[in-house]
Amino acid sequence: MDFLRPASWEEALAAKAEHPTAVPIAGGTDVMVEINFDHRRPEYLLDLNRIGDLYEWEVGEESVRLGASVPYTRIMEHLRAELPGLALASHTVASPQIRNRGGVGGNLGTASPAGDAHPALLAAGAEVEVESAARGTRLIPIDDFYTGVKRNALQPDELIRAVHVKKADGPQQYSKVGTRNAMVIAVCAFGLALHPETRTVRTGIGSAAPTPVRAKAAEEFLNAALQEGGFWDNGKVITPSVAKQFAQLCSAACNPIDDVRGTASYRRHAVGVMARRTLTWTWESYRGNHRTTEGAA
Ligand SMILES: Cc1cc2nc3c(=O)[nH]c(=O)nc-3n(C[C@H](O)[C@H](O)[C@H](O)COP(=O)(O)OP(=O)(O)OC[C@H]3O[C@@H](n4cnc5c(N)ncnc54)[C@H](O)[C@@H]3O)c2cc1C
């Protein structure tokens, strides 16, 4: 196995163009497991660790440009206000050691349906910035990024440079079911983001379908119910029947399998429970803010 160690982004793109089968390695928390278990024996490893740019982030007007290798720990420490859903999801990843090494670029590279960043990215709204030496940069909407089980929209000569995640304009939540609190891959997971500016709600489901997915019918139902009842303006409690219907539609968006971590029917049920709970938590938080703003006016 040859080890390629580019010192700059341009060198990394050139190396990937020359060796399209080269496997990029960032934190290595997925790649090294695969190599150690002999699941993968790449001809070339492309080490991205010398490219400082990949560890940086910029907070813009509307979104955060998160370098592909920014570790989860940094997201938890520095981006909690801007990206609360992703920060909560980062908290649930593995252990402090893994969170110090692993990042969102690697999670996207692996594209496991159980990756914790995905539901948060789907709920917040994100675009993946990818680049190749031959064709330059393109932005892939997160909804188009996951193409199959552990497959993504990257071309063989492309690398992920950053992820652009919309800054939170309302409460966000992330919930994960696992056999214990630390060091577990999700049995299933759910992300929810309220977007008061556009009066919409977005969801993300993990580990309950071949790819991470949004529960689009559930979102449409809830958006209509909130609009019709004037909930965004009056800040009233969401009725139990609306929450129940939303939960059922989220369960229906799942297409899970039975595996060692859980059965398909358990996953469907648990996603419904997480959907109802995260809706309650985020809506209570929205109502609290709403009352404070009303009181101040
Ligand atoms: C003990 C343990 C527990 C874990 N628990 C969790 C968990 O709870 N939740 C969870 O989501 N994950 C978990 N993981 C998996 C892993 O930590 C995450 O997927 C992490 O985000 C991977 O990031 P990384 O930087 O280490 O990626 P790497 O291992 O370096 O790379 C992962 C994949 O992405 C590709 N890649 C990396 N960077 C780029 C780039 N810039 N451009 C293109 N491709 C790229 C690599 O080629 C590889 O295919 C766990 C892993 C271990 C070992």
Side-chain angles (χ1 to χ4, degrees):
M1 193 184 314
D2 277 351
F3 200 57
L4 308 170
R5 291 205 75 207
S8 68
W9 179 247
E10 289 67 31
E11 278 182 35
L13 290 180
K16 192 69 171 126
E18 194 180 343
H19 307 288
T21 59
V23 173
I25 178 164
T29 61
D30 277 326
V31 172
M32 289 315 298
V33 173
E34 292 189 337
I35 291 174
N36 288 343
F37 281 98
D38 233 354
H39 292 158
R40 205 172 201 184
R41 187 96 345 229
E43 200 183 344
Y44 296 98
L45 268 184
L46 178 59
D47 179 14
L48 302 176
N49 281 271
R50 289 167 74 197
I51 305 167
D53 175 45
L54 298 180
Y55 294 86
E56 288 168 12
W57 65 88
E58 288 158 46
V59 178
E61 278 283 280
E62 299 200 337
S63 62
V64 175
R65 182 179 181 273
L66 185 71
S69 300
V70 174
Y72 293 112
T73 307
R74 294 277 168 277
I75 298 171
M76 289 153 53
E77 286 171 352
H78 300 284
L79 293 168
R80 183 173 299 275
E82 295 83 358
L83 310 178
L86 189 60
L88 285 169
S90 301
H91 259 287
T92 76
V93 174
S95 62
Q97 293 88 339
I98 301 287
R99 294 197 288 267
N100 285 340
R101 293 287 311 164
V104 173
N107 218 232
L108 288 166
T110 300
S112 159
D116 282 305
H118 312 312
L121 295 177
L122 285 165
E127 288 177 318
V128 186
E129 181 184 329
V130 306
E131 194 170 339
S132 68
R135 296 177 308 285
T137 302
R138 66 183 176 122
L139 290 174
I140 307 175
I142 195 69
D143 287 339
D144 300 337
F145 188 77
Y146 311 106
T147 55
V149 181
K150 296 198 173 183
R151 302 185 77 84
N152 61 38
L154 275 187
Q155 295 298 317
D157 62 345
E158 284 179 325
L159 292 170
I160 302 169
R161 186 162 198 178
V163 190
H164 300 246
V165 192
K166 288 214 177 94
K167 275 163 69 176
D169 59 321
Q172 302 187 349
Q173 272 294 343
Y174 184 76
S175 181
K176 170 173 170 179
V177 174
T179 42
R180 57 179 192 166
N181 269 343
M183 293 293 278
V184 283
I185 301 290
V187 174
C188 51
F190 192 82
L192 185 75
L194 304 187
H195 298 285
E197 279 177 18
T198 49
R199 301 195 161 196
T200 52
V201 172
R202 281 178 67 115
T203 58
I205 299 175
S207 215
T211 65
V213 287
R214 277 169 67 197
K216 288 195 179 161
E219 291 174 10
E220 280 164 22
F221 161 76
L222 186 58
N223 289 337
L226 293 177
Q227 199 65 40
E228 276 162 28
F231 284 83
W232 291 107
D233 292 320
N234 60 31
K236 283 192 181 156
V237 178
I238 290 180
T239 48
S241 64
V242 168
K244 190 174 169 197
Q245 176 84 6
F246 173 68
Q248 282 169 349
L249 288 168
C250 287
S251 291
C254 301
N255 180 15
I257 52 165
D258 294 328
D259 68 10
V260 285
R261 298 204 303 279
T263 62
S265 67
Y266 175 73
R267 286 187 158 103
R268 246 186 233 107
H269 169 75
V271 163
V273 172
M274 290 189 290
R276 193 168 34 77
R277 284 186 189 160
T278 52
L279 176 59
T280 308
W281 297 333
T282 48
W283 192 256
E284 278 308 304
S285 168
Y286 174 73
R287 292 179 66 225
N289 294 340
H290 182 77
R291 279 196 296 264
T292 315
T293 329
E294 293 272 288

mmCIF file of all heavy atoms in Angstrom, residues 9 11 16 23 29 36 38 87 95 145 157 194 198 201 203 223 236 281:
data_model
loop_
_atom_site.group_PDB
_atom_site.id
_atom_site.type_symbol
_atom_site.label_atom_id
_atom_site.label_comp_id
_atom_site.label_asym_id
_atom_site.label_seq_id
_atom_site.Cartn_x
_atom_site.Cartn_y
_atom_site.Cartn_z
ATOM 1 N N TRP A 9 -4.186 21.455 -0.708
ATOM 2 C CA TRP A 9 -5.436 20.980 -1.329
ATOM 3 C C TRP A 9 -5.205 20.690 -2.818
ATOM 4 O O TRP A 9 -5.669 19.680 -3.343
ATOM 5 C CB TRP A 9 -6.521 22.040 -1.119
ATOM 6 C CG TRP A 9 -7.835 21.696 -1.734
ATOM 7 C CD1 TRP A 9 -8.440 22.325 -2.775
ATOM 8 C CD2 TRP A 9 -8.716 20.631 -1.337
ATOM 9 N NE1 TRP A 9 -9.637 21.721 -3.063
ATOM 10 C CE2 TRP A 9 -9.835 20.681 -2.196
ATOM 11 C CE3 TRP A 9 -8.656 19.635 -0.361
ATOM 12 C CZ2 TRP A 9 -10.894 19.787 -2.101
ATOM 13 C CZ3 TRP A 9 -9.723 18.733 -0.264
ATOM 14 C CH2 TRP A 9 -10.818 18.809 -1.125
ATOM 15 N N GLU A 11 -2.475 19.817 -4.304
ATOM 16 C CA GLU A 11 -1.718 18.561 -4.435
ATOM 17 C C GLU A 11 -2.626 17.348 -4.195
ATOM 18 O O GLU A 11 -2.493 16.318 -4.848
ATOM 19 C CB GLU A 11 -0.572 18.525 -3.418
ATOM 20 C CG GLU A 11 0.672 19.287 -3.868
ATOM 21 C CD GLU A 11 1.800 19.162 -2.835
ATOM 22 O OE1 GLU A 11 1.956 18.100 -2.185
ATOM 23 O OE2 GLU A 11 2.506 20.162 -2.692
ATOM 24 N N LYS A 16 -5.514 12.699 -6.406
ATOM 25 C CA LYS A 16 -6.772 11.946 -6.596
ATOM 26 C C LYS A 16 -7.059 11.781 -8.093
ATOM 27 O O LYS A 16 -7.596 10.751 -8.523
ATOM 28 C CB LYS A 16 -7.907 12.691 -5.888
ATOM 29 C CG LYS A 16 -9.196 11.907 -5.755
ATOM 30 C CD LYS A 16 -9.103 10.730 -4.802
ATOM 31 C CE LYS A 16 -10.445 10.084 -4.523
ATOM 32 N NZ LYS A 16 -10.478 8.648 -4.778
ATOM 33 N N VAL A 23 -7.719 5.916 -1.564
ATOM 34 C CA VAL A 23 -8.713 6.105 -0.500
ATOM 35 C C VAL A 23 -8.262 7.258 0.396
ATOM 36 O O VAL A 23 -7.217 7.168 1.050
ATOM 37 C CB VAL A 23 -8.873 4.810 0.332
ATOM 38 C CG1 VAL A 23 -9.769 5.052 1.544
ATOM 39 C CG2 VAL A 23 -9.438 3.704 -0.540
ATOM 40 N N THR A 29 -11.006 7.041 11.487
ATOM 41 C CA THR A 29 -11.783 6.226 12.435
ATOM 42 C C THR A 29 -12.713 5.235 11.727
ATOM 43 O O THR A 29 -13.209 4.301 12.354
ATOM 44 C CB THR A 29 -12.589 7.106 13.412
ATOM 45 O OG1 THR A 29 -13.503 7.915 12.675
ATOM 46 C CG2 THR A 29 -11.678 7.985 14.249
ATOM 47 N N ASN A 36 -7.851 -2.632 9.241
ATOM 48 C CA ASN A 36 -7.472 -3.580 10.307
ATOM 49 C C ASN A 36 -8.234 -4.892 10.208
ATOM 50 O O ASN A 36 -7.697 -5.958 10.497
ATOM 51 C CB ASN A 36 -7.717 -2.967 11.697
ATOM 52 C CG ASN A 36 -6.696 -1.890 12.010
ATOM 53 O OD1 ASN A 36 -5.659 -1.826 11.355
ATOM 54 N ND2 ASN A 36 -6.984 -1.044 12.982
ATOM 55 N N ASP A 38 -9.302 -6.117 7.485
ATOM 56 C CA ASP A 38 -9.051 -6.629 6.136
ATOM 57 C C ASP A 38 -10.271 -6.541 5.221
ATOM 58 O O ASP A 38 -10.420 -7.338 4.293
ATOM 59 C CB ASP A 38 -8.567 -8.085 6.197
ATOM 60 C CG ASP A 38 -7.259 -8.230 5.427
ATOM 61 O OD1 ASP A 38 -6.845 -7.249 4.788
ATOM 62 O OD2 ASP A 38 -6.663 -9.324 5.461
ATOM 63 N N ALA A 87 -24.404 19.812 16.561
ATOM 64 C CA ALA A 87 -23.638 19.730 17.810
ATOM 65 C C ALA A 87 -24.200 18.626 18.713
ATOM 66 O O ALA A 87 -23.444 17.847 19.311
ATOM 67 C CB ALA A 87 -23.662 21.080 18.536
ATOM 68 N N SER A 95 -16.853 8.068 21.391
ATOM 69 C CA SER A 95 -16.164 8.434 22.633
ATOM 70 C C SER A 95 -15.361 9.713 22.372
ATOM 71 O O SER A 95 -15.177 10.105 21.217
ATOM 72 C CB SER A 95 -15.173 7.328 22.984
ATOM 73 O OG SER A 95 -14.215 7.243 21.946
ATOM 74 N N PHE A 145 -27.154 13.695 -1.941
ATOM 75 C CA PHE A 145 -25.802 13.177 -1.687
ATOM 76 C C PHE A 145 -25.764 11.669 -1.456
ATOM 77 O O PHE A 145 -24.832 10.992 -1.869
ATOM 78 C CB PHE A 145 -25.186 13.905 -0.475
ATOM 79 C CG PHE A 145 -23.740 13.565 -0.280
ATOM 80 C CD1 PHE A 145 -22.767 14.135 -1.093
ATOM 81 C CD2 PHE A 145 -23.335 12.643 0.678
ATOM 82 C CE1 PHE A 145 -21.422 13.806 -0.952
ATOM 83 C CE2 PHE A 145 -21.994 12.306 0.835
ATOM 84 C CZ PHE A 145 -21.038 12.891 0.020
ATOM 85 N N ASP A 157 -12.703 11.022 -8.892
ATOM 86 C CA ASP A 157 -11.597 11.998 -8.796
ATOM 87 C C ASP A 157 -11.939 13.163 -7.870
ATOM 88 O O ASP A 157 -11.189 14.136 -7.806
ATOM 89 C CB ASP A 157 -11.224 12.521 -10.191
ATOM 90 C CG ASP A 157 -12.364 13.263 -10.881
ATOM 91 O OD1 ASP A 157 -13.516 13.144 -10.424
ATOM 92 O OD2 ASP A 157 -12.107 13.966 -11.877
ATOM 93 N N LEU A 194 -36.747 23.247 13.367
ATOM 94 C CA LEU A 194 -37.812 24.209 13.073
ATOM 95 C C LEU A 194 -37.175 25.399 12.359
ATOM 96 O O LEU A 194 -36.123 25.880 12.799
ATOM 97 C CB LEU A 194 -38.479 24.708 14.362
ATOM 98 C CG LEU A 194 -39.084 23.693 15.318
ATOM 99 C CD1 LEU A 194 -39.845 24.418 16.436
ATOM 100 C CD2 LEU A 194 -40.015 22.728 14.604
ATOM 101 N N THR A 198 -38.916 30.539 7.466
ATOM 102 C CA THR A 198 -39.687 30.073 6.301
ATOM 103 C C THR A 198 -40.949 29.336 6.742
ATOM 104 O O THR A 198 -41.687 28.812 5.904
ATOM 105 C CB THR A 198 -38.832 29.111 5.451
ATOM 106 O OG1 THR A 198 -38.250 28.122 6.330
ATOM 107 C CG2 THR A 198 -37.730 29.830 4.715
ATOM 108 N N VAL A 201 -40.678 22.971 8.724
ATOM 109 C CA VAL A 201 -40.023 22.008 9.603
ATOM 110 C C VAL A 201 -39.308 21.016 8.704
ATOM 111 O O VAL A 201 -39.857 20.618 7.666
ATOM 112 C CB VAL A 201 -41.098 21.270 10.448
ATOM 113 C CG1 VAL A 201 -40.499 20.137 11.232
ATOM 114 C CG2 VAL A 201 -41.814 22.239 11.369
ATOM 115 N N THR A 203 -36.856 17.314 8.635
ATOM 116 C CA THR A 203 -36.531 16.126 9.421
ATOM 117 C C THR A 203 -35.330 15.398 8.815
ATOM 118 O O THR A 203 -34.978 15.633 7.659
ATOM 119 C CB THR A 203 -37.712 15.133 9.393
ATOM 120 O OG1 THR A 203 -37.967 14.800 8.026
ATOM 121 C CG2 THR A 203 -38.964 15.711 10.029
ATOM 122 N N ASN A 223 -46.240 21.076 8.281
ATOM 123 C CA ASN A 223 -46.181 22.458 7.787
ATOM 124 C C ASN A 223 -47.589 23.000 7.547
ATOM 125 O O ASN A 223 -47.898 24.132 7.922
ATOM 126 C CB ASN A 223 -45.366 22.539 6.489
ATOM 127 C CG ASN A 223 -43.884 22.330 6.756
ATOM 128 O OD1 ASN A 223 -43.418 22.539 7.872
ATOM 129 N ND2 ASN A 223 -43.147 21.905 5.742
ATOM 130 N N LYS A 236 -49.258 28.414 20.173
ATOM 131 C CA LYS A 236 -50.029 27.468 20.999
ATOM 132 C C LYS A 236 -49.377 26.085 21.043
ATOM 133 O O LYS A 236 -48.572 25.751 20.171
ATOM 134 C CB LYS A 236 -51.441 27.326 20.420
ATOM 135 C CG LYS A 236 -52.334 28.484 20.752
ATOM 136 C CD LYS A 236 -53.764 28.130 20.400
ATOM 137 C CE LYS A 236 -54.671 29.307 20.708
ATOM 138 N NZ LYS A 236 -55.884 29.267 19.917
ATOM 139 N N TRP A 281 -40.151 18.847 22.184
ATOM 140 C CA TRP A 281 -39.032 19.634 22.748
ATOM 141 C C TRP A 281 -38.786 20.910 21.955
ATOM 142 O O TRP A 281 -38.634 21.987 22.530
ATOM 143 C CB TRP A 281 -37.732 18.808 22.751
ATOM 144 C CG TRP A 281 -37.770 17.587 23.607
ATOM 145 C CD1 TRP A 281 -38.533 17.372 24.710
ATOM 146 C CD2 TRP A 281 -36.988 16.393 23.416
ATOM 147 N NE1 TRP A 281 -38.284 16.120 25.216
ATOM 148 C CE2 TRP A 281 -37.345 15.500 24.438
ATOM 149 C CE3 TRP A 281 -36.040 15.990 22.471
ATOM 150 C CZ2 TRP A 281 -36.775 14.229 24.571
ATOM 151 C CZ3 TRP A 281 -35.474 14.736 22.592
ATOM 152 C CH2 TRP A 281 -35.833 13.864 23.628
#
